[in-house]
Amino acid sequence: MKLLAIVGTNAPFSYNRFLAKYIAKRYGDKADIEVKEIDKLKPFCRTEEPDEVTKQWIQDIKDADGIILTTPEYDHAIPAALKSGLEWLGSHAGPNVMKMKPVTVVGTSYGIQGTSRAQEDAREILLSPDMSANVLPGNEVLIGGAANSFDKETGDLINEGAIKQLDAAMDNFFKFVKQTQK
């Protein structure tokens, strides 16, 4: 099973990058998980053709069996860079880039709500008719207090409650992806 853990920001430092890398490391025995950055993607413009980096982004998404989207929350929504990256995957990118692609959305933030609004925003985008992704239902990983939830040297998640929540959600996601492969 090949999964992409998307770092949902172009910021040079992000606890969501820590989260994506932690997921790849912790669950690497259950799936081949590649951490994928969006910082080199050019801004989406419907009237422009994708450049080589963007073409590779689209191809990597097509080739993956599933997507783990880690998103911060900026002003109660996903970052503009993530929205732009997702826009490149819409129906104009070619048929079925995201159609029925298994996706789970997780995130961490400094605040207590742990990216709840950004995750809802991401789910709405992924479920839109232009994408029609197959988003894992009933599982939320909302890690608040990011600065105290990660070891700043190793990048590891150290919040035991969040680890248990993440373990359960990832286990469900692995099963979810396997079901779609039948």
Side-chain angles (χ1 to χ4, degrees):
M1 175 183 333
K2 171 134 180 62
L3 305 176
L4 293 180
I6 307 299
V7 178
T9 180
N10 61 353
F13 175 84
S14 174
Y15 285 107
N16 283 281
R17 183 172 293 106
F18 281 2
L19 181 56
K21 289 180 178 182
Y22 178 78
I23 287 170
K25 182 168 69 171
R26 183 166 179 91
Y27 308 108
D29 62 333
K30 297 182 181 186
D32 175 15
I33 305 172
E34 176 188 348
V35 175
K36 186 82 175 161
E37 298 280 351
I38 63 169
D39 61 330
K40 301 284 190 272
L41 293 175
K42 75 179 204 171
F44 175 76
C45 180
R46 191 174 191 90
T47 59
E48 290 184 22
E49 291 296 314
D51 61 8
E52 290 307 311
V53 171
T54 306
K55 286 179 185 176
Q56 188 62 53
W57 161 252
I58 295 166
Q59 191 61 51
D60 289 347
I61 296 292
K62 279 183 184 180
D63 292 344
D65 296 317
I67 307 297
I68 303 159
L69 183 63
T70 68
T71 183
E73 184 167 302
Y74 295 175
D75 298 323
H76 306 298
I78 63 173
L82 178 56
K83 175 70 167 116
S84 181
L86 291 174
E87 289 291 338
W88 283 115
L89 306 173
S91 60
H92 50 275
N96 306 326
V97 173
M98 290 299 292
K99 186 173 180 148
M100 298 310 291
K101 177 77 64 181
V103 181
T104 190
V105 182
V106 299
T108 186
S109 68
Y110 289 98
I112 60 172
Q113 293 184 352
T115 73
S116 62
R117 290 183 181 118
Q119 288 188 40
E120 186 60 31
D121 187 32
R123 286 183 183 91
E124 285 184 31
I125 293 165
L126 292 163
L127 291 168
S128 71
D130 199 41
M131 293 215 154
S132 299
N134 192 8
V135 181
L136 178 67
N139 289 260
E140 291 184 334
V141 178
L142 308 168
I143 305 170
N148 297 316
S149 293
F150 290 85
D151 180 308
K152 289 164 193 64
E153 290 184 25
T154 66
D156 288 344
L157 184 60
I158 56 174
N159 176 322
E160 289 300 322
I163 291 169
K164 287 180 185 176
Q165 188 182 29
L166 184 62
D167 284 347
M170 291 306 300
D171 186 51
N172 289 335
F173 187 61
F174 297 136
K175 291 174 188 171
F176 186 67
V177 174
K178 286 178 185 171
Q179 281 182 324
T180 65
Q181 294 176 328
K182 290 182 180 178

